[in-house]
Amino acid sequence: MTTDSLRLDGRVALVTGAGQGLGRAEALALAASGARVVVNDYDVDAAHAVVDEIRATGAEATAAPGDVSKWDTARTLVDTAIKEFGSLEVLVNNAGVLRDRLIFNISEEEWDTVIGVHLKGHAATTRFATAYWREQSKATGGEVYARVINTSSEAFLFGSPGQPNYAAAKAGITALTLSTAQGCSRFGVRANAICPRARTAMTANVFGEAPTDEPDPLSADHVAPLVAYLAAPAAAGITGQVFVAYGPMVVLASAPAVEKRFDASGPAWTVEDLDGALGSYFAERDPAQCFVASAFYNLS
């Protein structure tokens, strides 16, 4: 693999939620790889501060603040990349919020806010980016350079009990990633999802304070290189994948497998048949053994 294939010189990247934490680390890593970066964040001052950081390294960046849960904001972000830098090749969807609550206590606002920023925010930017790439592909008659890196979470693998809104959004983001990879591959789009474990403002209540006497295994800086790599030419053969990233570890998740097939004894199921098939199969089974991807609990 050549060094050039790991670089993003001449490419333009848009990173949402890049004013702090994981998004900031990703924006800095993309800029270090040669990309010109559009920095989005709901916090205007934070977006401009990251732009200043990037420019201080000699790289190019521009701020595009706004709420990604708004369709018009997503359109503006894509338009900003094209207007300011002439193109868009890399979309990193990272923006997110938390409104943790058990399902029986959650409010409509808490549900809508999390689904809106995470799932709708990913969908909105992807909608306008892929529309742009489709037009570029039609104009050139071939594939374009296009990368989508979405931010899912192990919350959807675990079914996080206190985060029904967040877990549902992240499951949706994974499905959106797969759909984008399948539906837009003919234009050249490569779409992947990452499930990062990182210490950020959003996860402060989960992971606590960073250690002061040793390197932080949960630093967002550990995740950023994976994003820069998936955005690079070298990763052209990687699409429709889900990765868990944590410290010095990257884990490729496998697709769900068929555990057991049940067939009716006649032309159609009856409840008696189902009880005989499903009832006997689950009779001695621990109810905790379910669709939860428990193997990921033990990663360290």
Side-chain angles (χ1 to χ4, degrees), residues 18 22 62 64 73 77 105 146 164 200 299:
L22 188 60
T62 191
T73 299
L77 296 180
N105 281 329
T200 67
L299 293 173

Side-chain angles (χ1 to χ4, degrees), residues 204-278:
N205 292 334
V206 178
F207 296 129
E209 295 295 324
T212 58
D213 56 348
E214 60 184 14
D216 184 5
L218 289 168
S219 170
D221 292 335
H222 290 300
V223 179
L226 174 61
V227 172
Y229 176 71
L230 291 174
I238 304 173
T239 192
Q241 305 299 327
V242 178
F243 297 94
V244 174
Y246 166 47
M249 175 184 68
V250 171
V251 176
L252 174 64
S254 63
V258 175
E259 178 180 336
K260 175 72 174 177
R261 172 175 166 170
F262 303 91
D263 291 295
S265 60
W269 283 106
T270 66
V271 291
E272 290 79 11
D273 276 345
L274 286 167
D275 183 51
L278 297 178

Side-chain angles (χ1 to χ4, degrees), residues 9-32:
D9 298 307
R11 312 293 185 187
V12 179
L14 163 62
V15 186
T16 69
Q20 61 179 335
L22 188 60
R24 171 185 167 275
E26 292 166 345
L28 290 168
L30 291 165

Side-chain angles (χ1 to χ4, degrees), residues 157-217:
L157 296 169
F158 300 156
S160 296
Q163 299 180 307
N165 45 5
Y166 183 72
K170 293 307 189 181
I173 286 167
T174 302
L176 171 66
T177 305
L178 300 178
S179 180
T180 302
Q182 298 280 359
C184 300
S185 61
R186 64 187 184 276
F187 310 133
V189 177
R190 307 291 183 260
N192 295 286
I194 64 170
C195 300
R197 293 187 199 175
R199 196 186 314 275
T200 67
M202 201 170 77
T203 61
N205 292 334
V206 178
F207 296 129
E209 295 295 324
T212 58
D213 56 348
E214 60 184 14
D216 184 5

Side-chain angles (χ1 to χ4, degrees), residues 18-21 23-25 27-29 31-32 37 39 45-62 221:
Q20 61 179 335
R24 171 185 167 275
L28 290 168
V37 184
V39 177
D45 291 339
H48 283 283
V50 173
V51 168
D52 290 342
E53 278 191 85
I54 292 172
R55 289 177 176 172
T57 70
E60 297 181 67
T62 191
D221 292 335

Side-chain angles (χ1 to χ4, degrees), residues 124-181:
T125 53
T126 302
R127 182 260 184 259
F128 292 106
T130 54
Y132 165 71
W133 291 325
R134 177 174 178 266
E135 289 303 313
Q136 292 293 304
S137 176
K138 289 170 62 177
T140 61
E143 291 190 357
V144 299
Y145 190 104
R147 303 283 190 271
V148 179
I149 298 113
N150 287 333
T151 307
S152 185
S153 169
E154 290 173 285
F156 98 90
L157 296 169
F158 300 156
S160 296
Q163 299 180 307
N165 45 5
Y166 183 72
K170 293 307 189 181
I173 286 167
T174 302
L176 171 66
T177 305
L178 300 178
S179 180
T180 302

